[in-house]
PDB file of all heavy atoms in Angstrom:
ATOM      1  N   ALA A 616      38.686  -6.296  -7.422  1.00 98.00           N
ATOM      2  CA  ALA A 616      37.862  -6.635  -6.310  1.00 98.00           C
ATOM      3  C   ALA A 616      37.234  -8.045  -6.481  1.00 98.00           C
ATOM      4  O   ALA A 616      36.977  -8.784  -5.458  1.00 98.00           O
ATOM      5  CB  ALA A 616      36.696  -5.636  -6.160  1.00 98.00           C
ATOM      6  N   LEU A 617      36.952  -8.426  -7.705  1.00 98.00           N
ATOM      7  CA  LEU A 617      36.368  -9.744  -7.897  1.00 98.00           C
ATOM      8  C   LEU A 617      37.384 -10.831  -7.678  1.00 98.00           C
ATOM      9  O   LEU A 617      36.996 -11.873  -7.055  1.00 98.00           O
ATOM     10  CB  LEU A 617      35.925  -9.827  -9.410  1.00 98.00           C
ATOM     11  CG  LEU A 617      34.774  -8.937  -9.836  1.00 98.00           C
ATOM     12  CD1 LEU A 617      34.415  -9.258 -11.287  1.00 98.00           C
ATOM     13  CD2 LEU A 617      33.573  -8.995  -8.906  1.00 98.00           C
ATOM     14  N   THR A 618      38.611 -10.671  -8.019  1.00 98.00           N
ATOM     15  CA  THR A 618      39.595 -11.715  -7.830  1.00 98.00           C
ATOM     16  C   THR A 618      40.005 -11.873  -6.384  1.00 98.00           C
ATOM     17  O   THR A 618      40.538 -12.833  -5.863  1.00 98.00           O
ATOM     18  CB  THR A 618      40.850 -11.529  -8.530  1.00 98.00           C
ATOM     19  OG1 THR A 618      41.540 -10.257  -8.181  1.00 98.00           O
ATOM     20  CG2 THR A 618      40.579 -11.399 -10.114  1.00 98.00           C
ATOM     21  N   ARG A 619      39.596 -10.836  -5.488  1.00 98.00           N
ATOM     22  CA  ARG A 619      39.789 -10.916  -4.022  1.00 98.00           C
ATOM     23  C   ARG A 619      38.630 -11.431  -3.260  1.00 98.00           C
ATOM     24  O   ARG A 619      38.644 -11.523  -2.014  1.00 98.00           O
ATOM     25  CB  ARG A 619      40.237  -9.559  -3.548  1.00 98.00           C
ATOM     26  CG  ARG A 619      41.551  -9.180  -4.071  1.00 98.00           C
ATOM     27  CD  ARG A 619      42.093  -7.907  -3.451  1.00 98.00           C
ATOM     28  NE  ARG A 619      41.306  -6.677  -3.692  1.00 98.00           N
ATOM     29  CZ  ARG A 619      41.452  -5.868  -4.676  1.00 98.00           C
ATOM     30  NH1 ARG A 619      42.479  -6.072  -5.601  1.00 98.00           N
ATOM     31  NH2 ARG A 619      40.653  -4.832  -4.953  1.00 98.00           N
ATOM     32  N   LEU A 620      37.477 -11.856  -3.943  1.00 98.00           N
ATOM     33  CA  LEU A 620      36.371 -12.327  -3.202  1.00 98.00           C
ATOM     34  C   LEU A 620      36.670 -13.713  -2.580  1.00 98.00           C
ATOM     35  O   LEU A 620      37.535 -14.441  -3.060  1.00 98.00           O
ATOM     36  CB  LEU A 620      35.194 -12.505  -4.235  1.00 98.00           C
ATOM     37  CG  LEU A 620      34.484 -11.221  -4.628  1.00 98.00           C
ATOM     38  CD1 LEU A 620      33.423 -11.448  -5.756  1.00 98.00           C
ATOM     39  CD2 LEU A 620      33.822 -10.484  -3.478  1.00 98.00           C
ATOM     40  N   PRO A 621      35.957 -14.043  -1.477  1.00 98.00           N
ATOM     41  CA  PRO A 621      36.382 -15.202  -0.680  1.00 98.00           C
ATOM     42  C   PRO A 621      36.192 -16.539  -1.312  1.00 98.00           C
ATOM     43  O   PRO A 621      36.763 -17.565  -0.835  1.00 98.00           O
ATOM     44  CB  PRO A 621      35.603 -15.025   0.653  1.00 98.00           C
ATOM     45  CG  PRO A 621      34.381 -14.215   0.221  1.00 98.00           C
ATOM     46  CD  PRO A 621      34.868 -13.294  -0.850  1.00 98.00           C
ATOM     47  N   TRP A 622      35.392 -16.684  -2.407  1.00 98.00           N
ATOM     48  CA  TRP A 622      35.206 -18.002  -3.073  1.00 98.00           C
ATOM     49  C   TRP A 622      36.355 -18.258  -4.065  1.00 98.00           C
ATOM     50  O   TRP A 622      36.429 -19.396  -4.558  1.00 98.00           O
ATOM     51  CB  TRP A 622      33.905 -18.022  -3.708  1.00 98.00           C
ATOM     52  CG  TRP A 622      33.625 -17.210  -5.006  1.00 98.00           C
ATOM     53  CD1 TRP A 622      34.197 -16.010  -5.304  1.00 98.00           C
ATOM     54  CD2 TRP A 622      32.774 -17.460  -6.080  1.00 98.00           C
ATOM     55  NE1 TRP A 622      33.733 -15.555  -6.490  1.00 98.00           N
ATOM     56  CE2 TRP A 622      32.833 -16.360  -7.002  1.00 98.00           C
ATOM     57  CE3 TRP A 622      31.797 -18.499  -6.282  1.00 98.00           C
ATOM     58  CZ2 TRP A 622      32.045 -16.345  -8.146  1.00 98.00           C
ATOM     59  CZ3 TRP A 622      31.026 -18.440  -7.347  1.00 98.00           C
ATOM     60  CH2 TRP A 622      31.172 -17.379  -8.325  1.00 98.00           C
ATOM     61  N   VAL A 623      37.245 -17.313  -4.333  1.00 98.00           N
ATOM     62  CA  VAL A 623      38.308 -17.507  -5.291  1.00 98.00           C
ATOM     63  C   VAL A 623      39.289 -18.508  -4.754  1.00 98.00           C
ATOM     64  O   VAL A 623      39.790 -18.300  -3.611  1.00 98.00           O
ATOM     65  CB  VAL A 623      39.006 -16.187  -5.685  1.00 98.00           C
ATOM     66  CG1 VAL A 623      40.165 -16.360  -6.590  1.00 98.00           C
ATOM     67  CG2 VAL A 623      37.956 -15.255  -6.375  1.00 98.00           C
ATOM     68  N   ASN A 624      39.612 -19.525  -5.495  1.00 97.00           N
ATOM     69  CA  ASN A 624      40.575 -20.659  -5.208  1.00 97.00           C
ATOM     70  C   ASN A 624      40.204 -21.397  -3.971  1.00 97.00           C
ATOM     71  O   ASN A 624      41.061 -21.970  -3.320  1.00 97.00           O
ATOM     72  CB  ASN A 624      42.004 -20.019  -5.104  1.00 97.00           C
ATOM     73  CG  ASN A 624      42.502 -19.619  -6.386  1.00 97.00           C
ATOM     74  OD1 ASN A 624      42.265 -20.247  -7.417  1.00 97.00           O
ATOM     75  ND2 ASN A 624      43.316 -18.518  -6.413  1.00 97.00           N
ATOM     76  N   HIS A 625      38.921 -21.380  -3.599  1.00 95.00           N
ATOM     77  CA  HIS A 625      38.448 -22.256  -2.524  1.00 95.00           C
ATOM     78  C   HIS A 625      38.574 -23.729  -2.900  1.00 95.00           C
ATOM     79  O   HIS A 625      38.160 -24.087  -3.994  1.00 95.00           O
ATOM     80  CB  HIS A 625      36.975 -21.893  -2.206  1.00 95.00           C
ATOM     81  CG  HIS A 625      36.362 -22.829  -1.227  1.00 95.00           C
ATOM     82  ND1 HIS A 625      36.699 -22.857   0.135  1.00 95.00           N
ATOM     83  CD2 HIS A 625      35.470 -23.852  -1.395  1.00 95.00           C
ATOM     84  CE1 HIS A 625      35.993 -23.753   0.747  1.00 95.00           C
ATOM     85  NE2 HIS A 625      35.225 -24.411  -0.143  1.00 95.00           N
ATOM     86  N   GLN A 626      39.104 -24.500  -1.995  1.00 91.00           N
ATOM     87  CA  GLN A 626      39.361 -25.890  -2.295  1.00 91.00           C
ATOM     88  C   GLN A 626      38.558 -26.739  -1.255  1.00 91.00           C
ATOM     89  O   GLN A 626      38.351 -26.272  -0.122  1.00 91.00           O
ATOM     90  CB  GLN A 626      40.852 -26.259  -2.175  1.00 91.00           C
ATOM     91  CG  GLN A 626      41.720 -25.482  -3.168  1.00 91.00           C
ATOM     92  CD  GLN A 626      41.543 -25.955  -4.500  1.00 91.00           C
ATOM     93  OE1 GLN A 626      41.004 -27.108  -4.865  1.00 91.00           O
ATOM     94  NE2 GLN A 626      42.027 -25.185  -5.527  1.00 91.00           N
ATOM     95  N   VAL A 627      38.095 -27.871  -1.687  1.00 89.00           N
ATOM     96  CA  VAL A 627      37.347 -28.774  -0.821  1.00 89.00           C
ATOM     97  C   VAL A 627      37.681 -30.200  -1.122  1.00 89.00           C
ATOM     98  O   VAL A 627      37.990 -30.464  -2.281  1.00 89.00           O
ATOM     99  CB  VAL A 627      35.825 -28.485  -0.915  1.00 89.00           C
ATOM    100  CG1 VAL A 627      35.286 -28.789  -2.318  1.00 89.00           C
ATOM    101  CG2 VAL A 627      35.037 -29.308   0.119  1.00 89.00           C
ATOM    102  N   ARG A 628      37.557 -31.049  -0.184  1.00 90.00           N
ATOM    103  CA  ARG A 628      37.916 -32.505  -0.433  1.00 90.00           C
ATOM    104  C   ARG A 628      36.842 -33.169  -1.286  1.00 90.00           C
ATOM    105  O   ARG A 628      35.728 -32.709  -1.380  1.00 90.00           O
ATOM    106  CB  ARG A 628      38.037 -33.298   0.920  1.00 90.00           C
ATOM    107  CG  ARG A 628      36.783 -33.443   1.793  1.00 90.00           C
ATOM    108  CD  ARG A 628      37.115 -34.109   3.008  1.00 90.00           C
ATOM    109  NE  ARG A 628      35.907 -34.261   3.986  1.00 90.00           N
ATOM    110  CZ  ARG A 628      35.207 -35.379   3.940  1.00 90.00           C
ATOM    111  NH1 ARG A 628      35.383 -36.283   3.080  1.00 90.00           N
ATOM    112  NH2 ARG A 628      34.197 -35.429   4.817  1.00 90.00           N
ATOM    113  N   ASN A 629      37.221 -34.286  -1.830  1.00 88.00           N
ATOM    114  CA  ASN A 629      36.292 -35.025  -2.720  1.00 88.00           C
ATOM    115  C   ASN A 629      35.164 -35.703  -1.907  1.00 88.00           C
ATOM    116  O   ASN A 629      35.286 -35.920  -0.765  1.00 88.00           O
ATOM    117  CB  ASN A 629      37.050 -36.059  -3.480  1.00 88.00           C
ATOM    118  CG  ASN A 629      37.935 -35.546  -4.619  1.00 88.00           C
ATOM    119  OD1 ASN A 629      37.736 -34.463  -5.090  1.00 88.00           O
ATOM    120  ND2 ASN A 629      38.869 -36.322  -4.982  1.00 88.00           N
ATOM    121  N   TRP A 630      34.109 -36.006  -2.653  1.00 85.00           N
ATOM    122  CA  TRP A 630      32.976 -36.815  -1.986  1.00 85.00           C
ATOM    123  C   TRP A 630      33.473 -38.225  -1.767  1.00 85.00           C
ATOM    124  O   TRP A 630      34.488 -38.714  -2.452  1.00 85.00           O
ATOM    125  CB  TRP A 630      31.850 -36.881  -2.928  1.00 85.00           C
ATOM    126  CG  TRP A 630      30.978 -35.671  -2.921  1.00 85.00           C
ATOM    127  CD1 TRP A 630      31.164 -34.540  -3.725  1.00 85.00           C
ATOM    128  CD2 TRP A 630      29.847 -35.389  -2.119  1.00 85.00           C
ATOM    129  NE1 TRP A 630      30.201 -33.565  -3.342  1.00 85.00           N
ATOM    130  CE2 TRP A 630      29.377 -34.065  -2.367  1.00 85.00           C
ATOM    131  CE3 TRP A 630      29.226 -36.127  -1.101  1.00 85.00           C
ATOM    132  CZ2 TRP A 630      28.247 -33.591  -1.746  1.00 85.00           C
ATOM    133  CZ3 TRP A 630      28.104 -35.579  -0.461  1.00 85.00           C
ATOM    134  CH2 TRP A 630      27.642 -34.302  -0.771  1.00 85.00           C
ATOM    135  N   GLU A 631      32.805 -38.977  -0.896  1.00 83.00           N
ATOM    136  CA  GLU A 631      33.218 -40.294  -0.613  1.00 83.00           C
ATOM    137  C   GLU A 631      32.940 -41.282  -1.838  1.00 83.00           C
ATOM    138  O   GLU A 631      32.249 -40.910  -2.747  1.00 83.00           O
ATOM    139  CB  GLU A 631      32.327 -40.810   0.570  1.00 83.00           C
ATOM    140  CG  GLU A 631      32.680 -40.250   1.970  1.00 83.00           C
ATOM    141  CD  GLU A 631      32.177 -38.790   2.150  1.00 83.00           C
ATOM    142  OE1 GLU A 631      31.347 -38.343   1.174  1.00 83.00           O
ATOM    143  OE2 GLU A 631      32.506 -38.148   3.118  1.00 83.00           O
ATOM    144  N   ILE A 632      33.617 -42.462  -1.825  1.00 82.00           N
ATOM    145  CA  ILE A 632      33.425 -43.424  -2.789  1.00 82.00           C
ATOM    146  C   ILE A 632      32.021 -44.021  -2.662  1.00 82.00           C
ATOM    147  O   ILE A 632      31.347 -43.949  -1.631  1.00 82.00           O
ATOM    148  CB  ILE A 632      34.461 -44.533  -2.723  1.00 82.00           C
ATOM    149  CG1 ILE A 632      34.381 -45.192  -1.446  1.00 82.00           C
ATOM    150  CG2 ILE A 632      35.812 -43.893  -3.011  1.00 82.00           C
ATOM    151  CD1 ILE A 632      35.281 -46.484  -1.306  1.00 82.00           C
ATOM    152  N   GLU A 633      31.533 -44.670  -3.723  1.00 79.00           N
ATOM    153  CA  GLU A 633      30.304 -45.436  -3.632  1.00 79.00           C
ATOM    154  C   GLU A 633      30.464 -46.726  -2.833  1.00 79.00           C
ATOM    155  O   GLU A 633      31.586 -47.324  -2.867  1.00 79.00           O
ATOM    156  CB  GLU A 633      29.705 -45.738  -5.026  1.00 79.00           C
ATOM    157  CG  GLU A 633      29.251 -44.523  -5.751  1.00 79.00           C
ATOM    158  CD  GLU A 633      28.031 -43.830  -5.304  1.00 79.00           C
ATOM    159  OE1 GLU A 633      27.807 -44.010  -4.033  1.00 79.00           O
ATOM    160  OE2 GLU A 633      27.399 -43.222  -6.108  1.00 79.00           O
ATOM    161  N   PRO A 634      29.540 -47.232  -2.109  1.00 80.00           N
ATOM    162  CA  PRO A 634      28.176 -46.705  -2.016  1.00 80.00           C
ATOM    163  C   PRO A 634      27.962 -45.594  -0.988  1.00 80.00           C
ATOM    164  O   PRO A 634      26.805 -45.300  -0.698  1.00 80.00           O
ATOM    165  CB  PRO A 634      27.278 -47.939  -1.757  1.00 80.00           C
ATOM    166  CG  PRO A 634      28.245 -48.780  -0.849  1.00 80.00           C
ATOM    167  CD  PRO A 634      29.643 -48.527  -1.407  1.00 80.00           C
ATOM    168  N   LEU A 635      29.111 -45.152  -0.379  1.00 73.00           N
ATOM    169  CA  LEU A 635      28.925 -44.291   0.791  1.00 73.00           C
ATOM    170  C   LEU A 635      28.202 -42.997   0.438  1.00 73.00           C
ATOM    171  O   LEU A 635      27.329 -42.507   1.152  1.00 73.00           O
ATOM    172  CB  LEU A 635      30.350 -43.968   1.413  1.00 73.00           C
ATOM    173  CG  LEU A 635      31.088 -45.151   1.969  1.00 73.00           C
ATOM    174  CD1 LEU A 635      32.360 -44.731   2.524  1.00 73.00           C
ATOM    175  CD2 LEU A 635      30.255 -45.798   3.101  1.00 73.00           C
ATOM    176  N   ARG A 636      28.512 -42.386  -0.778  1.00 75.00           N
ATOM    177  CA  ARG A 636      27.896 -41.071  -1.024  1.00 75.00           C
ATOM    178  C   ARG A 636      26.393 -41.311  -1.429  1.00 75.00           C
ATOM    179  O   ARG A 636      25.561 -40.527  -1.128  1.00 75.00           O
ATOM    180  CB  ARG A 636      28.618 -40.326  -2.069  1.00 75.00           C
ATOM    181  CG  ARG A 636      28.714 -40.933  -3.520  1.00 75.00           C
ATOM    182  CD  ARG A 636      29.386 -39.916  -4.416  1.00 75.00           C
ATOM    183  NE  ARG A 636      29.580 -40.414  -5.816  1.00 75.00           N
ATOM    184  CZ  ARG A 636      30.590 -41.106  -6.210  1.00 75.00           C
ATOM    185  NH1 ARG A 636      31.498 -41.485  -5.342  1.00 75.00           N
ATOM    186  NH2 ARG A 636      30.675 -41.496  -7.477  1.00 75.00           N
TER     187      ARG A 636
END
Side-chain angles (χ1 to χ4, degrees):
L617 296 184
T618 64
R619 293 190 293 272
L620 288 173
W622 69 334
V623 173
N624 290 324
H625 172 72
Q626 301 288 341
V627 63
R628 68 183 177 90
N629 287 341
W630 282 89
E631 290 75 8
I632 61 172
E633 294 289 25
L635 295 180
R636 66 177 178 270

